[in-house]
Amino acid sequence: MKRIIFFTIFLLSACGHDKEYIPVKKITIGFSQCTMVDKWREIMVMEMKRELSFYNNYNIDFIVKDAGDDNNKQIEDINDLVSRHIDILIVSANEAKQLTPTVEEVFNKGIPVILIDRKINSPSYTAFVGADNLGIGREAGYFAIELLKGKGKILEITGLTGSTPAIERSSGFKEIIKNYPAISIEKSIEGRWLEDRTLKITDSLFYTFNDFDLVFAHNDFMARAAAYSSRKHKLKPYIIGIDGLNTEDGGVSMVLNGTIDGTILYPSGGDKAIQLAMEILTGKPYETTINLNTFRIDNTNARTIWLQGAEIGSQQGKIDKLNYKINNMSSILKKRDTLLFLTTSVIILLFFVVGTIYFLFRQKNRLSKALTLKNKMINQQYKIISSQRDDSINLLMLAEEAKENKLRLFTDISHEFRTAVTLIMTPLDDLIKSTENSGLKNKLEIIRKNAGRLNKLSDSILRFRNIDENKYKPVFNGANFIGFLNEIVEIYREKANGKKITVMTDLPPYLYVDFDAAMMEKILCNLLSNAIKYTKPEGKVTVAVKNENAKILISIEDNGIGIPSKDIPYIFNRFYKAENSKMSNESEGVGVGLAITKELVQLHGGIINVTSFEGSGSVFTLTIPQFNKNTTEDPEDISIKYPSTLRQEILPEKDKVILVVEDNPDLLKLISGQLEYYYSVITASNGLEGLEITRKKIPSLIVSDIMMPVMDGLQMCRQIKNDSSTCHIPVILLTALDSQDFTIKGFEIGADAYLTKPYNENLLLTHIRNLLLSRKKIIDSYCPSSFFQDIFKTRETSDQDFIKKCLDVIYDNAESEDFGLDNLADKMTMSRSSLYRKIRIACNIRPVDFIKKARLNYSAKLLMSKNLHINEIAWRSGFSDPKYFSKCFYQEFGCYPKKYAQEFKSTSNQIAEN
């Protein structure tokens, strides 16, 4: 029965569709027209509607709004179209300035915007359709020159002053006319595109003003008004218009009947706008700017254009009739398809209902029998499950009681620990104060630190129950995690040395992490303690840290006794101990260390894993997030301080002058205090003062705030980087403006680093050191010779530019042994005597010695950047005799080339390691 029903449904569904069903997409297109007062804009809308008739596969709702030449009305129209959820907006802006904000707002909402005929004062639109109004103005200018034969006076009648066509047509026309002094534009009036308005103005104007030979109107209708007024006042000027509509009262007809002398074709582009809109909405490639073709129409071609237009209009009428018939046929076909589909669906539904009723009737009888049998089985299973549930509840109560007893035991032990630690620490503090033996004091400090840690461990046991009940919350602080980890490793290194175990580290020099110091100390101490406990003498423990995708990977690896594979799944369970743990010579624990460690790691938002093989050691890997959104900004919440480490990493360089620019006196004092240990510091309270100090004292580096009175940091940085005498100075922008936009803007104007407040002192000092070091490497790579370095430091900017240009020429010709003063003078386009005097004044040495030092400077650059043999470097530097080259090199640099290269490589490796 089911097979018969399925086969019948299949046949009916196949018969119900004679063609593939194509879903019709609903599209809403909104068009805001600046005005519909003239025929040209009516034709634009007519072309749009005609073009839409070719898109039968889409359900298109085309909404046209007429602003009536009113900016406020057009803004209201556009907002109304947006409220109707249009898919695309086509707009011809009445005036660019007033409509720009509204069109930008629509574009920023993600609605595509097509500008037609008129633009706005912003690039915030999708595409533009229109003729080149600037080019049209130029063509009108050339036309006027031909009519006037290079001499005459012009009256210009413009469109709406604020509209882009009026602006561009006038600009293009004036651009051509200004090249002919005998032609002048005597007067310009605003017709606002309207024939009636223009007629009133010209009728009144021509009573007092008639000294003109040609009228240039921005459209044909204003041109016709000027022609009527001219005839009324018995004037016979040449008249040029724009639009060239091929209609009964359009520009072509005006030329044919002699009303005007010529016009410039300006297509409306309505069809192009619809084509472009459909390409955008259907995801097809499209052009962002469509320039419509235009040309001049005068008495030589007007009749031809009129006849062509008539023929096209006839053909277009036939096409419109065909489209009408096609649309009617499509409507009939759609109705037929809909009726056929509904009929087929009803038949299929009836068969389905009949089949379903029959199937359900049979299933009902089967289910009734099955349910009776299952009810008996369920009753039996319920009795068994009830009994098991009661047993499970009893076991759970026993387990909870045992757990509570264990926790109570650890709590009591922890209290005893605290009492013992107190008795140890009190006399220990007295001993530390009384002893003068530095070695003994160091050992006592180690005992004191570990006694304190023992006290903290007892506190952690008291918090065990809070961890279980999710009451133990981490407090995150941002700090250098590497310094924190090194302190913990040093504590356990003493213990490892006692067992002859080597503790190694693989750590980056600095790593900022948001972490709970107390929680992380317990985690790391537990893992390090276990690693040392289960590693035999002469063994090795390695601590490594990596930073991958804002995740911190901490691994603690040992080559100790390892963990049996069968115990690995359970080692993080409370009170669980591996079988081979008794192999350790140290006293065994109670099996809670790793359990607490895992729970603390999870509270920290991380995970912990172990890889181990019995007899070959274990690797515990801890993964935690680098950043946490709940990080406290209170520096008192964290006990990690690293001033001594910083002073070891960054050596003072008092010859380097740092300019600090900050308007807040307290912060200025704080930053200066942090830097003056390492560098000479000068200060300024605003950007203008900082700029003046920079130009006078040329500091080595500048640290500046952004938001300051008088002149902000961005303006100061821009002027520093645009000044050839100060552009080499590195600038670090230090500000509270934590924004990507400000960061990008800072780098665009040339800032070398960008730090946000509250800043990290280590990070600021590291940036300063690296920027100064990179500037030194740049100078050294260009001028290894101390002679040239001194010149570039002490000479005027003009002398520096001259010397640099000379060096570049010598470097380009370094391989030529014969390259001398005459050749250098030719390349510098100077006479030999002028070049000689210039080098003597700028460098205070003979030119021949200058060229020799330049060759040696070039050879030093090759030694630093190329892995070449000494003989080849000598040859490339213009020395044919390697022995003579080595002698000269020694006189210039105080060492031979080979040793110079070795020392440079050694220094580079040290810098890379730091």
Side-chain angles (χ1 to χ4, degrees), residues 11-76:
L11 289 177
L12 288 171
S13 62
C15 294
H17 294 80
D18 57 352
K19 63 179 181 178
E20 183 181 358
Y21 174 72
I22 301 175
V24 177
K25 182 179 179 181
K26 175 67 179 294
I27 294 175
T28 303
I29 300 175
F31 176 40
S32 175
Q33 177 70 283
C34 59
T35 180
M36 293 282 285
V37 73
D38 58 61
K39 188 69 174 179
W40 188 85
R41 299 212 170 262
E42 292 177 1
I43 290 177
M44 178 189 290
V45 176
M46 183 177 67
E47 288 181 349
M48 288 183 176
K49 292 180 178 179
R50 182 185 297 125
E51 186 65 25
L52 285 170
S53 66
F54 294 110
Y55 295 92
N56 295 322
N57 292 337
Y58 298 91
N59 181 11
I60 300 176
D61 185 12
F62 182 53
I63 306 172
V64 180
K65 291 282 189 177
D66 177 16
D69 210 17
D70 186 341
N71 293 326
N72 294 328
K73 176 66 166 57
Q74 189 164 28
I75 292 171
E76 293 176 3

Side-chain angles (χ1 to χ4, degrees), residues 578-597:
E579 285 187 0
N580 63 346
S581 61
K582 60 184 179 181
M583 296 174 61
S584 173
N585 294 328
E586 301 182 27
S587 59
E588 296 184 22
V590 293
V592 296
L594 288 178
I596 294 177
T597 297

Side-chain angles (χ1 to χ4, degrees), residues 265-295:
L265 175 66
Y266 186 66
S268 71
D271 54 343
K272 298 293 184 182
I274 294 301
Q275 292 172 13
L276 180 60
M278 295 306 297
E279 287 174 353
I280 293 172
L281 293 174
T282 56
K284 296 180 181 178
Y286 63 90
E287 296 179 7
T288 56
T289 301
I290 297 179
N291 290 318
L292 303 175
N293 295 325
T294 183
F295 56 85

Side-chain angles (χ1 to χ4, degrees), residues 373-473:
L373 181 61
K374 286 184 178 180
N375 282 333
K376 294 180 180 179
M377 296 175 61
I378 289 171
N379 290 332
Q380 294 176 356
Q381 291 176 354
Y382 176 77
K383 293 178 180 178
I384 297 172
I385 291 172
S386 298
S387 175
Q388 292 175 345
R389 180 198 62 191
D390 295 337
D391 293 339
S392 297
I393 291 174
N394 292 332
L395 290 173
L396 182 61
M397 293 176 64
L398 291 173
E400 287 293 330
E401 185 179 353
K403 173 185 171 183
E404 191 67 25
N405 289 335
K406 288 181 181 180
L407 289 175
R408 191 178 297 110
L409 171 64
F410 281 110
T411 301
D412 294 340
I413 292 174
S414 68
H415 280 291
E416 294 300 322
F417 280 164
R418 291 170 66 87
T419 302
V421 169
T422 303
L423 294 174
I424 293 172
M425 293 180 69
T426 302
L428 188 61
D429 289 336
D430 295 336
L431 287 173
I432 292 173
K433 292 177 182 178
S434 62
T435 183
E436 298 295 333
N437 188 324
S438 59
L440 177 61
K441 181 175 287 189
N442 289 336
K443 291 182 179 180
L444 291 174
E445 289 287 356
I446 293 172
I447 296 171
R448 177 67 172 78
K449 185 179 292 186
N450 282 277
R453 181 176 167 270
L454 184 60
N455 192 36
K456 291 180 181 179
L457 289 174
S458 66
D459 290 339
S460 69
I461 295 175
L462 289 174
R463 295 192 186 101
F464 206 149
R465 188 170 300 173
N466 287 336
I467 294 176
D468 262 4
E469 297 174 358
N470 292 323
K471 295 179 181 178
Y472 189 26
K473 302 296 182 183

Side-chain angles (χ1 to χ4, degrees), residues 481 484-485 515-516 519-525 527 543-547 551-557 572 596-611 619-625:
F481 183 76
F484 170 83
L485 180 57
F515 64 97
D516 184 314
M519 185 182 295
M520 193 55 62
E521 180 185 8
K522 296 175 180 62
I523 295 169
L524 296 173
C525 289
L527 296 176
V543 181
V545 173
K546 292 182 180 179
N547 182 8
K551 297 287 185 182
I552 307 303
L553 279 67
I554 309 160
S555 63
I556 299 177
E557 180 179 0
F572 291 110
I596 294 177
T597 297
K598 181 178 180 180
E599 297 207 27
L600 292 176
V601 170
Q602 291 174 342
L603 285 173
H604 211 283
I607 56 174
I608 185 170
N609 297 306
V610 62
T611 303
V619 180
F620 283 84
T621 303
L622 172 65
T623 304
I624 62 172

Side-chain angles (χ1 to χ4, degrees), residues 575-857:
F575 311 114
Y576 185 85
K577 293 182 288 183
E579 285 187 0
N580 63 346
S581 61
K582 60 184 179 181
M583 296 174 61
S584 173
N585 294 328
E586 301 182 27
S587 59
E588 296 184 22
V590 293
V592 296
L594 288 178
I596 294 177
T597 297
K598 181 178 180 180
E599 297 207 27
L600 292 176
V601 170
Q602 291 174 342
L603 285 173
H604 211 283
I607 56 174
I608 185 170
N609 297 306
V610 62
T611 303
S612 182
F613 297 96
E614 189 172 9
S616 60
S618 306
V619 180
F620 283 84
T621 303
L622 172 65
T623 304
I624 62 172
Q626 183 178 8
F627 306 104
N628 189 283
K629 63 181 180 180
N630 296 320
T631 303
T632 179
E633 296 183 358
D634 186 0
E636 299 301 325
D637 289 344
I638 192 159
S639 60
I640 304 170
K641 306 291 181 185
Y642 301 101
S644 61
T645 305
L646 272 174
R647 295 195 179 191
Q648 292 173 6
E649 292 178 353
I650 302 177
L651 297 177
E653 296 180 90
K654 291 296 184 177
D655 60 318
K656 299 292 189 296
V657 178
I658 307 298
L659 170 62
V660 180
V661 187
E662 170 62 59
D663 62 319
N664 186 301
D666 294 333
L667 188 55
L668 182 64
K669 183 177 180 180
L670 173 63
I671 299 173
S672 302
Q674 292 171 340
L675 300 182
E676 61 188 9
Y677 174 82
Y678 308 97
Y679 309 102
S680 298
V681 179
I682 56 178
T683 61
S685 59
N686 60 66
L688 182 60
E689 183 182 345
L691 183 62
E692 293 172 351
I693 293 175
T694 300
R695 289 170 174 169
K696 290 179 181 178
K697 300 190 176 181
I698 312 296
S700 306
L701 183 140
I702 300 170
V703 178
S704 174
D705 188 16
I706 285 185
M707 299 299 291
M708 294 182 292
V710 186
M711 178 186 288
D712 62 34
L714 291 176
Q715 291 176 312
M716 183 192 74
C717 180
R718 183 184 292 107
Q719 295 198 33
I720 288 173
K721 293 300 182 178
N722 290 336
D723 190 335
S724 59
S725 63
T726 59
C727 62
H728 65 283
I729 302 174
V731 178
I732 298 175
L733 294 177
L734 183 66
T735 179
L737 296 172
D738 189 7
S739 165
Q740 285 189 1
D741 292 337
F742 276 96
T743 304
I744 293 171
K745 190 173 182 180
F747 284 124
E748 283 178 347
I749 65 173
D752 298 270
Y754 193 102
L755 300 180
T756 57
K757 301 174 185 176
Y759 66 92
N760 183 282
E761 180 184 353
N762 298 7
L763 189 58
L764 174 61
L765 289 169
T766 303
H767 270 296
I768 293 174
R769 181 193 65 178
N770 291 342
L771 287 172
L772 292 175
L773 184 61
S774 65
R775 287 301 187 275
K776 183 178 184 302
K777 289 174 70 177
I778 291 172
I779 294 173
D780 291 347
S781 66
Y782 188 79
C783 294
S785 169
S786 59
F787 171 77
F788 287 110
Q789 290 182 13
D790 180 65
I791 286 176
F792 280 106
K793 288 180 182 177
T794 59
R795 298 301 190 270
E796 296 294 332
T797 303
S798 59
D799 289 341
Q800 292 179 9
D801 293 340
F802 168 74
I803 294 167
K804 184 179 182 300
K805 189 175 181 181
C806 288
L807 288 177
D808 289 337
V809 172
I810 295 170
Y811 291 166
D812 291 339
N813 299 273
E815 293 185 4
S816 175
E817 184 181 357
D818 299 329
F819 188 84
L821 183 60
D822 292 334
N823 306 104
L824 180 59
D826 290 339
K827 297 289 185 181
M828 296 290 291
T829 63
M830 298 175 66
S831 66
R832 189 179 190 279
S833 58
S834 298
L835 180 63
Y836 185 93
R837 287 194 300 272
K838 182 70 174 176
I839 292 177
R840 289 287 296 185
I841 293 171
C843 304
N844 198 27
I845 61 171
R846 297 183 304 162
V848 64
D849 293 330
F850 176 85
I851 295 174
K852 180 180 177 181
K853 286 181 178 291
R855 290 182 183 276
L856 291 170
N857 191 65

Side-chain angles (χ1 to χ4, degrees), residues 143-177:
F143 195 5
I145 292 165
E146 290 180 12
L147 292 173
L148 294 174
K149 297 181 173 53
K151 181 179 180 181
K153 298 178 181 180
I154 298 173
L155 168 65
E156 183 184 17
I157 305 175
T158 71
L160 187 64
T161 304
S163 63
T164 54
I167 296 169
E168 292 175 357
R169 290 175 186 180
S170 183
S171 298
F173 185 78
K174 291 175 181 177
E175 178 182 338
I176 301 304
I177 294 301

